[in-house]
Amino acid sequence: EQLRKDGNELFKCGDYEGALTAYTQALGLGATPQDQAILHRNRAACHLKLVRGRLLFPSPARASFAHPAGARAPTLVTWPLGL
C-alpha cells in the first residue's frame, strides 16, 4: 500500500521512472488481485507518459496527418491516481 502511494506521489511530480519502479516493487510484495490490477494500470500510465509523443507522433504535424481531428485527437489514458 505504501509503495503504491509513493508511486502516486512520484507520478504527480512527473517522476514517471520512479513511479514505475515503486509500482513494480509493490507488485512483488504479494498484492491482492484487485491491487495487482490497479498497479498494472498505474504502470501502463507511466509507460504512456514515458513514451508519449516520441514513438507515435513526434510532432503535432504528424498527428494531424494521422488523424483528421489533428493533434487534439482523443487518446486512451488510464490515470493511476485515486484508484
Side-chain angles (χ1 to χ4, degrees), residues 61-76:
R62 286 193 181 182
S64 46
F65 174 76
H67 193 284
R72 294 178 182 238
T75 56
L76 174 63

Side-chain angles (χ1 to χ4, degrees), residues 19-74:
L20 182 61
T21 300
Y23 297 141
T24 302
Q25 289 174 351
L27 277 170
L29 296 177
T32 66
Q34 181 180 1
D35 286 340
Q36 287 179 10
I38 291 168
L39 290 165
H40 282 294
R41 283 195 304 264
N42 292 359
R43 291 180 74 237
C46 290
H47 285 293
L48 283 172
K49 289 289 192 174
L50 289 168
V51 298
R52 175 186 245 170
R54 285 187 270 161
L55 299 177
L56 299 177
F57 301 114
S59 71
R62 286 193 181 182
S64 46
F65 174 76
H67 193 284
R72 294 178 182 238

